[in-house]
Amino acid sequence: MDVHQLRDQLKLAITWNRCDIAEEKIFNRSIEWPTGSLDDIMTEALMDDKVNFVRLLLQNGLVMQEYLTVSRLRHLYNTVSLLPYKIIPYS
């Protein structure tokens, strides 16, 4: 299976919020993900507050220092601040 097919499967897994499937079926191979190939999936995971996917992507090749540019951080901040959210108390 090539990287494009795996990305498509990963997009489905994140849409269905099935981190377990992504871990078992997609990241169980020794594949070298091209730089930037997981960026849009990381953006979706961050915006949808899917912490397990963020952790999984970081464990499987996404480098936060390469992903999080100033413009991307600005985009995330501006986009997420427009979304309705719940205030979660800090404890």
Side-chain angles (χ1 to χ4, degrees), residues 4-64:
H4 297 292
Q5 291 172 321
L6 290 172
R7 281 187 83 253
D8 290 343
Q9 288 186 357
L10 187 54
K11 285 182 180 184
L12 286 174
I14 198 168
T15 298
W16 297 332
N17 200 22
R18 293 298 307 267
C19 190
D20 59 321
I21 291 175
E23 190 169 12
E24 292 171 17
K25 305 289 183 186
I26 299 168
F27 289 116
N28 66 345
R29 312 153 197 249
S30 59
I31 186 165
E32 195 167 317
W33 294 88
T35 301
S37 63
L38 298 173
D39 288 358
D40 59 330
I41 296 168
M42 176 58 102
T43 300
E44 185 175 344
L46 288 168
M47 290 177 58
D48 292 343
D49 197 27
K50 295 185 177 176
V51 177
N52 290 332
F53 274 96
V54 170
R55 186 177 299 117
L56 188 63
L57 291 168
L58 291 171
Q59 291 171 347
N60 287 281
L62 189 131
V63 178
M64 186 58 79

Side-chain angles (χ1 to χ4, degrees), residues 49 85-91:
D49 197 27
Y85 61 92
K86 298 177 191 175
I87 297 177
I88 301 172
Y90 179 77
S91 51

